[in-house]
Amino acid sequence: MSTRRTLLTGALALAGGGAAAVGAEAPPAAGAPGRSSPALAPADVRHYGLVPNKPEAAAENTRALKTLVAPGGGFRGTLAFGNTTGSDVYHLNDIIPFADGIDIDLQGSTLRFTKQGTKSDTNAGFIFAVRDFTIQNGSIVIDYQMGGGGTNAGNALTFGNRGTDSQYFSPIYDSLLPVPMGNIAVRNLRISSNTAGGNGILMIGGLSGVVMENVWIDGSGVLSTGIYYEFGWATNEPDRTARQTSHAHNLRFVNISIVNMDTKSGQAFGLTGAYNCSIDGLYVRSSKILFQCSPGEATFFRPWKGVDQIGAKRNVALRNVVGVHITGTAISVTGASATSGGYLARAQVPLQAQVDLLDFFMESFAIDGGDLDGGYGIQSSAEKMDLRDGRITRFSRGIAVTDECTRMNIEGIDILDCRQWGILLGGFALFKPPRQKMGFIRGCFIAGNGAATPGNFAAIQLDQSAGFIIEGNRLGYEPAHDGLAETTQGFGIRLDANARGVVCRCNYVGGVRQGGVAYYNFATTDAQGNTLQNAVGVTSSRGAWLRG
């Protein structure tokens, strides 16, 4: 799959409404950990013997909580972690699977999970639930050392399961479940983890109706993924290529902060095989990847009939995104995914089923790469892409899309001081010959790019088009407008050999590097329908153009 991790092969090295708050009760009665206290309300975990602020009580706290919330057990409803001091810490030392129908109110307290990893922890998390679950109003601190052959372990929260991936729940194939996985909420929660190669929050399978609001994740400089999801199995045929897959949908994330990830290989937020996902308010500081989304190995090829097959609008929408010190590609949305390297390699998937798999919308964003030459601001092969009102600074390339992105709108984006192109449209294609693009670039400010080889790169470069409008953009720095001259960007707009029907109108080129031209068409004899209209500022051109 396109993500650098895979749960399927075991090589994954990274990776409803809330309950009403319950008021703090009286301090627990004196006695040994594990002894219930009739003086406390049944909603208070101290009633069942859990003791705060005592590291030595971790084993007994864990035993008591496991017994209380075990899947198949009798408890349902709200559990409150009483917080007498205002900063109580409950120590626990093992993975805790939760039955359906439990709401956790931490009441400002902290759960501290300390464990040396084992192989049995693979694909599991400290707090582990599959449906009808809420956790809110507190903190989780993870002190977990990956080891013993386990992978994808030590997560603060794990939701859902796939087949036999984890031993903590019975094998899960979504089509066989009496009730779908999901109806999960995480609110007002702070997570801190020191687990190298681990995740903050892991989700798997056909989850639906997951809400996360006001969540902070600190990766301590070593965490590999902040929030990560991967598709599941809906059916359980022995031949995996014949299985129907399940896909998370109707996921909503609001006000998410993810900081201090592993900047060499970490990704803050990843969705693999999900659709109908909305993210509004995402802040990421110090990570290699800010956000990645892809169809994964499943490529929506055999989605679960009647659920993920009918009426699925496969899109992802991001709003109000800020990324600082991103050392690789900040935003990556893959909508074309070859099956040759995954479990479907033997399935003879037609080419048409490997493209046009995701749509991508993003608005109101600011992402900065820190001039580390490590990746692109936005990279995409989504069939339809709509980018609005954003700012991209100091990446290798500002926006780069492949030839499988065939319809796009780029509007009101500032792209400044990248080492190569501001916008590069064209490149890798599964279809041979590549399909042609159509779309718009409007109202953008693109300047100061091309420092890697001054004079060689354009603000906008386009290939494989059947009709495209580039209008109302300001290209290149200009002393009267910016207080500095353009010294690196060699072209305003450059069209390659297979660009056709491109209309450039009402663009203002403030400057190009000395020796460059504002408009360059590779075609020298036939303009191929490429037109210049109402050019303003620097108007120099090269190649054949129609004039209007």
Side-chain angles (χ1 to χ4, degrees):
M1 64 179 53
S2 60
T3 181
R4 57 192 172 86
R5 321 186 296 162
T6 171
L7 287 165
L8 292 173
T9 63
L12 197 89
L14 311 179
V22 178
E25 304 290 343
R35 184 176 301 167
S36 65
S37 172
L40 295 166
D44 194 314
V45 295
R46 296 172 296 173
H47 176 84
Y48 304 95
L50 277 78
V51 177
N53 308 319
K54 291 186 177 181
E56 65 273 19
E60 186 60 28
N61 282 347
T62 302
R63 184 204 62 77
L65 187 57
K66 273 187 170 183
T67 301
L68 178 63
V69 303
F75 184 87
R76 295 176 67 90
T78 296
L79 278 177
F81 283 75
N83 188 5
T84 303
T85 69
S87 57
D88 281 359
V89 178
Y90 289 81
H91 295 268
L92 302 114
N93 64 4
D94 203 3
I95 291 166
I96 303 176
F98 278 76
D100 300 347
I102 296 179
D103 296 340
I104 301 295
D105 187 348
L106 296 176
Q107 296 193 332
S109 62
T110 297
L111 306 184
R112 185 175 183 90
F113 173 57
T114 303
K115 186 179 182 184
Q116 178 65 44
T118 65
K119 188 174 182 179
S120 63
D121 296 342
T122 293
N123 299 329
F126 166 47
I127 303 294
F128 199 167
V130 297
R131 69 175 68 79
D132 300 344
F133 177 82
T134 297
I135 185 167
Q136 60 185 341
N137 302 330
S139 301
I140 298 176
V141 175
I142 303 296
D143 182 7
Y144 181 92
Q145 307 304 313
M146 196 83 70
T151 58
N152 203 44
N155 317 303
L157 305 173
T158 296
F159 300 128
N161 194 18
R162 174 175 59 195
T164 58
D165 279 9
S166 172
Q167 68 170 20
Y168 285 91
F169 285 92
S170 300
I172 287 181
Y173 299 92
D174 295 81
S175 66
L176 304 180
L177 294 174
V179 180
M181 294 190 294
N183 187 27
I184 292 170
V186 180
R187 296 187 176 95
N188 306 326
L189 189 69
R190 296 182 182 273
I191 295 171
S192 176
S193 175
N194 68 350
T195 306
N199 314 278
I201 301 174
L202 173 68
M203 298 176 286
I204 312 172
L207 296 161
S208 178
V210 175
V211 177
M212 297 188 187
E213 298 177 318
N214 299 329
V215 177
W216 292 262
I217 299 175
D218 189 328
S220 305
V222 299
L223 197 65
S224 291
T225 304
I227 298 174
Y228 181 71
Y229 165 80
E230 193 164 297
F231 65 90
W233 299 126
T235 60
N236 63 343
E237 291 84 355
D239 180 1
R240 290 191 302 176
T241 64
R243 291 180 181 178
Q244 296 176 45
T245 51
S246 59
H247 302 270
H249 52 280
N250 299 335
L251 310 184
R252 183 166 63 91
F253 306 90
V254 180
N255 296 341
I256 309 295
S257 173
I258 304 174
V259 301
N260 299 328
M261 304 302 295
D262 178 354
T263 55
K264 293 183 179 179
S265 60
Q267 63 177 15
F269 204 128
L271 299 174
T272 302
Y275 65 93
N276 282 12
C277 300
S278 171
I279 301 171
D280 190 346
L282 173 61
Y283 174 79
V284 175
R285 185 184 74 242
S286 295
S287 181
K288 182 174 183 180
I289 299 170
L290 191 160
F291 175 83
Q292 75 83 20
C293 182
S294 76
E297 291 182 59
T299 64
F300 299 112
F301 179 55
R302 288 197 175 99
W304 182 11
K305 292 181 180 179
V307 178
D308 295 310
Q309 180 190 50
I310 304 300
K313 178 173 174 51
R314 295 172 186 145
N315 62 359
V316 57
L318 286 79
R319 295 177 175 86
N320 303 311
V321 176
V322 175
V324 181
H325 192 238
I326 308 302
T327 61
T329 293
I331 309 290
S332 176
V333 178
T334 302
S337 181
T339 58
S340 56
Y343 77 91
L344 288 171
R346 298 182 292 105
Q348 298 181 336
V349 179
L351 182 60
Q352 291 81 356
Q354 301 178 53
V355 300
D356 302 346
L357 302 176
L358 282 173
D359 299 337
F360 171 37
F361 173 82
M362 184 172 177
E363 69 175 352
S364 301
F365 61 91
I367 51 179
D368 180 69
D371 198 23
L372 299 175
D373 195 24
Y376 308 157
I378 297 174
Q379 181 179 35
S380 183
S381 59
E383 178 200 9
K384 291 182 285 187
M385 182 180 74
D386 193 336
L387 305 177
R388 300 171 183 267
D389 184 25
R391 182 179 177 89
I392 302 170
T393 52
R394 301 192 299 173
F395 286 90
S396 176
R397 302 175 186 178
I399 298 173
V401 304
T402 75
D403 285 321
E404 299 305 345
C405 184
T406 56
R407 289 179 285 171
M408 70 198 72
N409 183 48
I410 301 172
E411 186 168 0
I413 312 295
D414 294 350
I415 306 175
L416 306 173
D417 304 333
C418 295
R419 293 182 58 79
Q420 297 179 354
W421 294 274
I423 298 176
L424 177 62
L425 306 181
F428 172 80
L430 289 174
F431 269 84
K432 304 297 181 185
R435 298 181 297 175
Q436 295 176 315
K437 292 179 286 298
M438 302 182 71
F440 303 86
I441 301 175
R442 292 189 175 107
C444 298
F445 178 32
I446 308 173
N449 304 292
T453 309
N456 281 14
F457 296 100
I460 300 169
Q461 186 155 329
L462 171 63
D463 198 11
Q464 301 294 346
S465 65
F468 215 97
I469 294 176
I470 304 174
E471 63 181 359
N473 303 286
R474 174 176 281 271
L475 309 174
Y477 286 131
E478 180 185 28
H481 183 265
D482 311 296
L484 67 161
E486 183 58 67
T487 61
T488 56
Q489 210 163 257
F491 308 93
I493 299 170
R494 176 169 175 160
L495 306 183
D496 286 336
N498 294 300
R500 291 174 169 81
V502 180
V503 177
C504 304
R505 63 190 181 204
C506 301
N507 297 292
Y508 186 101
V509 178
V512 294
R513 179 178 167 83
Q514 187 174 3
V517 295
Y519 303 94
Y520 181 97
N521 188 1
F522 186 89
T524 57
T525 56
D526 179 4
Q528 301 183 149
N530 300 321
T531 305
L532 279 178
Q533 298 178 359
N534 302 104
V536 186
V538 179
T539 60
S540 56
S541 65
R542 189 178 304 164
W545 290 91
L546 300 176
R547 306 277 177 167

